[in-house]
Amino acid sequence: MWGQTCQYLPQDDGYRYHIMAQHIAETNRLWGADDLVFGTDHKVYLFQPGYRYYVAGWIKIMGAENRLFQCWNMLLYLMALLVFLSGFRKQYSGTRIEKGFLLFILLSSPFVVKLILMGLSEWLLISLCLLAAGALLRKKTNWAVVALALIPFVS
């Protein structure tokens, strides 16, 4: 089960990221391979570059984009969520704001899991936002800046 390779529909972004990441991992080059998706002659980025390199790193290390990769991504999201919640609860414990945020997280988590299963990059953007907010709540501004700086690269 864990080694089952992920299959994406050709019209989905997950398929595009998979094709580009597979090319990066196979050729050992950092060229993003946007041409493979649209068949253009231009060496430009048609998609944000960051997520394909993340997927290519996994393919390079583990050999394929599989169910274990999706579970790993869910674990990363959960860790980012816990970092945020630990900082958030220290400042807003027992308030209506806390209850509202907890309800929002509870209701939006299935959507984030769907993003991960579909191979989309938005879950990583949400995780980086949560990490940045958690770092700011803990007064760790350098870590917040690093997380915020990665957002344009992966979204």
Side-chain angles (χ1 to χ4, degrees):
M1 179 179 124
W2 298 112
Q4 182 183 11
T5 305
C6 299
Q7 301 293 323
Y8 302 109
L9 297 173
Q11 64 269 22
D12 286 341
D13 286 348
Y15 178 77
R16 295 178 190 137
Y17 288 124
H18 173 75
I19 293 295
M20 293 182 281
Q22 190 72 36
H23 177 76
I24 292 168
E26 288 174 357
T27 61
N28 293 322
R29 294 174 38 202
L30 291 178
W31 174 57
D34 292 75
D35 294 3
L36 295 176
V37 176
F38 288 114
T40 65
D41 293 356
H42 308 294
K43 305 291 187 223
V44 297
Y45 285 119
L46 300 174
F47 300 100
Q48 292 289 56
Y51 191 67
R52 70 183 89 176
Y53 294 117
Y54 172 72
V55 176
W58 178 271
I59 292 171
K60 198 72 173 156
I61 293 168
M62 300 302 282
E65 190 179 354
N66 51 26
R67 297 293 172 210
L68 183 62
F69 178 59
Q70 293 174 332
C71 288
W72 170 255
N73 291 342
M74 288 180 208
L75 180 65
L76 287 179
Y77 171 71
L78 180 63
M79 290 188 320
L81 190 60
L82 291 175
V83 166
F84 170 73
L85 286 176
S86 67
F88 184 79
R89 295 204 65 192
K90 286 180 183 176
Q91 291 190 6
Y92 297 101
S93 183
T95 65
R96 292 179 72 181
I97 295 172
E98 179 194 28
K99 291 176 185 171
F101 260 100
L102 292 176
L103 182 63
F104 173 76
I105 289 168
L106 178 71
L107 295 176
S108 65
S109 289
F111 177 70
V112 174
V113 170
K114 182 181 115 180
L115 291 173
I116 292 170
L117 293 176
M118 290 178 64
L120 302 177
S121 64
E122 286 80 0
W123 73 268
L124 191 54
L125 169 89
I126 294 167
S127 297
L128 288 172
C129 289
L130 288 171
L131 286 173
L136 283 174
L137 288 168
R138 293 169 172 250
K139 308 278 191 267
K140 308 275 185 189
T141 54
N142 289 339
W143 288 108
V145 167
V146 169
L148 290 173
L150 287 173
I151 287 174
F153 190 65
V154 300
S155 63

